[in-house]
Structures are given as C-alpha cells and as structure tokens.
Amino acid sequence: MIETFGTYMKENGWNIEWNEIKENDLPETIINRYRNIPKQWLEFISSIKCLVSADETMWFLCAEDFVVKNNEAFQWNEWELISLGSAEGDAEWQNEISQFWNNHLPIVMSVKGSYSYYAIAIKDGSIVYGSEPEFEECEIVADSFTDFIEKILKKELRL
C-alpha cells in the first residue's frame, strides 16, 4: 500500500524520496514521548524519506524531520511551540497544550492558506485534523493511518 500511495502522490505532483535502507531512526525523545505509535506509520516512515507537495506548502513528517535542527523554518512540533508561546504566563493553559500534544503525534504539516496539521491520536490511532488559531481543537478524519492513506487514494480526503 505504501508504494501505491507514493506512486499516487508522485502522479499528483508531490515530490517523493524513498528510503534506500528501511529504517525509521526516530529520535529517542519521540519514542519516549509517544509510546503507542501505530506500526503502519512506522512502516511508512521507514519507506519514505521525504514527501512534499510541489509548492512546498504541505509535507509529511518523516524520520529526519523529527531531528531538531536550528536552521529549519519549521520544527516538527512548531504548532505546539506557537500555542505554548500564546499561553505564556498561564501555566494551566500551557499544561493543557502540552497534554494535548503529548497525545497527538503530528504527521503532516501545512502552511497552505493557514497553518494546519494531521496527527495521530495516540490513545486510539485515529487521525485528526487541526488548524490555527486553536491548534488543539481538532476533528477525527480517519480511524487509522491506513484509513487515512486509503481516503487520500480514494479522493475522499484531499491534501
């Protein structure tokens, strides 16, 4: 299914780079923070090194994206950082934001029109969609990562 998805995305103008070595190499901080990462997503990031829209306004987060680099325009948790900045001085609100992101692993980021994301809800593996200004207000768009991919392939979900 991952190869079919990669081919579909390439045919629809996305730039894809495949991993030659099937390793996900997620940083230890990610593995420790998100204890229940779905196997299907781990297989995805071990197969795909980079997947970015042609206009570079939307991208799937892959293993290398989770390595914090100071020269990157957007970190993997940029929307969390923006929310925490907005809540500066309000410890209770910051705690709520941190709890939300501890339970939602971002997998797609977008700056097309507005800042938005897709994330895995760690509690049940569903995929949620959220956007600014309240990133933590999100809606379930797929029951699982596999369902998410299938909905994209069937054009039920457009990126």
Side-chain angles (χ1 to χ4, degrees):
M1 174 193 265
I2 294 170
E3 285 184 30
T4 301
F5 179 69
T7 301
Y8 172 84
M9 296 301 280
K10 186 172 181 123
E11 289 171 354
N12 284 276
W14 284 61
N15 299 311
I16 185 168
E17 186 177 340
W18 295 93
N19 267 332
E20 292 179 22
I21 302 171
K22 300 229 182 219
E23 296 177 339
N24 65 40
D25 291 331
L26 282 173
E28 200 69 27
T29 54
I30 301 300
I31 293 167
N32 290 335
R33 185 174 184 184
Y34 302 102
R35 298 284 181 168
N36 206 19
I37 300 172
K39 179 183 169 194
Q40 299 85 357
W41 182 73
L42 291 172
E43 289 173 6
F44 175 83
I45 65 166
S46 72
S47 299
I48 295 179
K49 186 174 184 174
C50 179
L51 185 57
V52 181
S53 64
D55 62 3
E56 298 184 355
T57 60
M58 183 176 279
W59 59 98
F60 279 75
L61 292 169
C62 297
E64 289 182 10
D65 295 312
F66 290 93
V67 176
V68 175
K69 301 171 192 143
N70 293 329
N71 63 343
E72 293 290 323
F74 294 100
Q75 300 296 328
W76 69 271
N77 62 339
E78 194 71 30
W79 307 162
E80 176 184 14
L81 297 174
I82 289 171
S83 290
L84 289 170
S86 295
E88 189 174 336
D90 187 332
E92 184 177 330
W93 187 14
Q94 285 186 320
N95 185 51
E96 289 173 17
I97 291 165
S98 293
Q99 286 303 311
F100 174 86
W101 290 107
N102 286 341
N103 293 299
H104 294 86
L105 171 62
I107 59 170
V108 177
M109 293 178 71
S110 176
V111 295
K112 185 184 287 185
S114 65
Y115 291 172
S116 62
Y117 68 91
Y118 290 93
I120 298 169
I122 296 300
K123 69 177 183 201
D124 63 7
S126 64
I127 305 300
V128 300
Y129 172 80
S131 63
E132 64 179 332
E134 299 294 330
F135 291 111
E136 294 74 29
E137 291 180 10
C138 61
E139 63 179 303
I140 296 172
V141 296
D143 294 332
S144 66
F145 184 72
T146 300
D147 186 38
F148 178 66
I149 296 301
E150 287 173 353
K151 285 184 173 190
I152 293 168
L153 290 171
K154 293 177 186 174
K155 299 181 180 174
E156 293 173 9
L157 188 62
R158 297 194 183 266
L159 301 181

